[in-house]
């Protein structure tokens, strides 16, 4: 394996670590919102908010828009259903 591949893999490992930490923080924050909604008697489902998030995060990223929509759909479901 070339040194360039090894270095790029190190970079990917670092990025994966950062992504997983940010994802954990995002899920924890989302769960707090779901808990507060439950306590207030508000539905945990908010399709308008989810649509707003998807539009914001996919703006200008047409090459990965479908991937982001798929990933965030899974994140939304996970947060709402794994209390």
């Amino acid at each position: 394996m070339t040194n360039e591949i090894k270095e790029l893999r190190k970079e990917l490992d670092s990025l994966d670590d950062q992504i997983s930490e940010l994802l954990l923080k995002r899920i924890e924050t989302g769960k707090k919102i779901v808990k507060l909604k439950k306590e207030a008697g508000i539905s945990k489902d908010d399709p308008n908010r989810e649509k707003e998030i998807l539009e914001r995060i996919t703006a200008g990223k047409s090459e990965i828009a479908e991937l982001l929509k798929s990933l965030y759909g899974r994140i939304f479901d996970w947060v709402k259903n794994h209390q």
Side-chain angles (χ1 to χ4, degrees):
M1 192 172 344
T2 69
N3 283 338
E4 185 176 9
I5 290 173
K6 286 180 184 178
E7 289 304 312
L8 289 170
R9 285 185 173 175
K10 282 183 189 178
E11 183 177 345
L12 283 177
D13 289 347
S14 176
L15 291 167
D16 288 339
D17 291 344
Q18 292 173 57
I19 290 167
S20 65
E21 286 300 316
L22 288 172
L23 182 57
L24 181 59
K25 288 179 184 179
R26 200 223 182 274
I27 288 170
E28 288 172 349
T29 302
K31 284 185 173 187
K32 289 176 186 176
I33 292 170
V34 169
K35 182 181 178 196
L36 291 171
K37 284 181 167 186
K38 184 177 181 179
E39 290 170 358
I42 301 169
S43 173
K44 63 185 174 182
D45 293 311
D46 190 345
N48 290 330
R49 174 67 176 146
E50 291 177 12
K51 181 181 177 193
E52 179 184 301
I53 291 168
L54 292 175
E55 287 174 354
R56 181 177 47 79
I57 65 168
T58 59
K61 298 178 185 88
S62 61
E63 68 279 1
I64 61 167
E66 288 305 312
L67 173 61
L68 289 169
K69 288 177 186 177
S70 177
L71 289 171
Y72 271 76
R74 298 280 311 264
I75 292 167
F76 297 152
D77 288 343
W78 181 269
V79 169
K80 291 184 283 189
N81 297 305
H82 288 87
Q83 289 296 306

